[in-house]
Amino acid sequence: MSFPSFREAFQRLEALGKVLRVDEEVSADFEAPLLVREVSRRVGKAVLLTRVRGKEASLVSGIYFGKSPRDLGLGSLEELCQRYSSWVSLFDRLPMDASDRLTVLASVSWIAERFPRVVQFPSSEYEVKQGYDLDLTSFPAIRHSPREEAPSVVNPVIVIRLPQLKNFIAVSHPVEVVDEKTMLIAAPARSPLHDVLSEAAATRSRV
């Protein structure tokens, strides 16, 4: 079974009437997090915010939280549990606990019968910015908690490479947007991202 992409999952929920669209302008720091949390908790719908103050992009949240696997095209909950149990059982003979098995499982794409694929989008659907044209505050970053010092993007895809490396490293870690040109990346110790950043700092290399 091929798992739906984020776009496909959103379209499925939208067709089922399980997406709440908000066209009025909302603030990124207070109104957006409150709307997403309350709508998810009370009615279980995903939220599409088309106008986030100070942001150029729309914001979609709550696609997977509390949603039925069947709504996302994954079959029934029983089928999903059975499928995951059969995958995890492949590691029964290896000396690792359940959490380690899930970590390994997540990194083995062929188990899910889904290989990496190249997706092409019309040029009108995306925009590339770099250098001085890049303004990080235009990203749909919000404060998810009053304790957060800065707005954050929870699940970005970060592609990073040192000049001496031939291959890119793609990871997903939360980032905080400090200002137009500065962001903070939470790089767990002993992670590929942490190793690359540590090597860059030690060799004074640009990333």
Side-chain angles (χ1 to χ4, degrees):
M1 173 180 290
S2 177
F3 287 90
S5 66
F6 186 88
R7 180 190 295 269
E8 292 166 343
F10 174 80
Q11 291 173 340
R12 290 185 66 92
L13 293 177
E14 192 174 36
L16 293 170
K18 296 189 176 183
V19 175
L20 176 66
R21 179 187 178 106
V22 179
D23 292 324
E24 294 186 12
E25 185 180 74
V26 297
S27 69
D29 288 344
F30 303 105
E31 294 173 316
L34 179 63
L35 269 172
V36 170
R37 183 174 66 249
E38 291 302 311
V39 170
S40 297
R41 183 173 66 87
R42 296 188 182 190
V43 298
K45 289 188 176 183
V47 180
L48 168 61
L49 305 176
T50 60
R51 297 176 58 202
V52 181
R53 189 174 303 137
K55 311 296 180 182
E56 297 179 4
S58 300
L59 175 66
V60 178
S61 186
I63 294 294
Y64 302 103
F65 177 77
K67 303 301 182 295
S68 164
R70 193 178 297 278
D71 290 345
L72 297 173
L74 299 176
S76 67
L77 182 59
E78 292 75 16
E79 292 170 336
L80 191 63
C81 291
Q82 184 178 7
R83 190 157 60 245
Y84 272 96
S85 296
S86 64
W87 293 344
V88 173
S89 67
L90 295 175
F91 304 101
D92 283 344
R93 296 184 180 181
L94 299 179
M96 58 177 64
D97 58 27
S99 61
D100 289 334
R101 292 179 188 178
L102 290 175
T103 301
V104 173
L105 180 62
S107 65
V108 185
S109 61
W110 61 266
I111 292 181
E113 299 176 3
R114 177 173 180 173
F115 292 89
R117 57 179 178 169
V118 177
V119 179
Q120 295 182 344
F121 296 98
S123 58
S124 60
E125 291 194 16
Y126 64 90
E127 183 177 0
V128 177
K129 293 184 178 181
Q130 57 186 2
Y132 289 104
D133 294 331
L134 179 62
D135 180 0
L136 295 175
T137 60
S138 66
F139 292 174
I142 63 175
R143 282 186 171 86
H144 300 81
S145 166
R147 294 187 296 273
E148 293 183 349
E149 296 182 359
S152 63
V153 182
V154 178
N155 293 313
V157 176
I158 303 170
V159 180
I160 190 171
R161 187 185 70 172
L162 288 173
Q164 60 267 33
L165 296 179
K166 294 182 179 180
N167 297 326
F168 291 91
I169 294 176
V171 297
S172 179
H173 291 296
V175 298
E176 288 189 351
V177 176
V178 179
D179 55 38
E180 293 86 347
K181 304 297 179 185
T182 309
M183 65 180 180
L184 298 177
I185 304 177
R190 296 184 297 277
S191 67
L193 178 61
H194 181 273
D195 294 341
V196 171
L197 294 177
S198 297
E199 183 176 349
T203 59
R204 298 182 181 274
S205 301
R206 294 188 62 182
V207 177

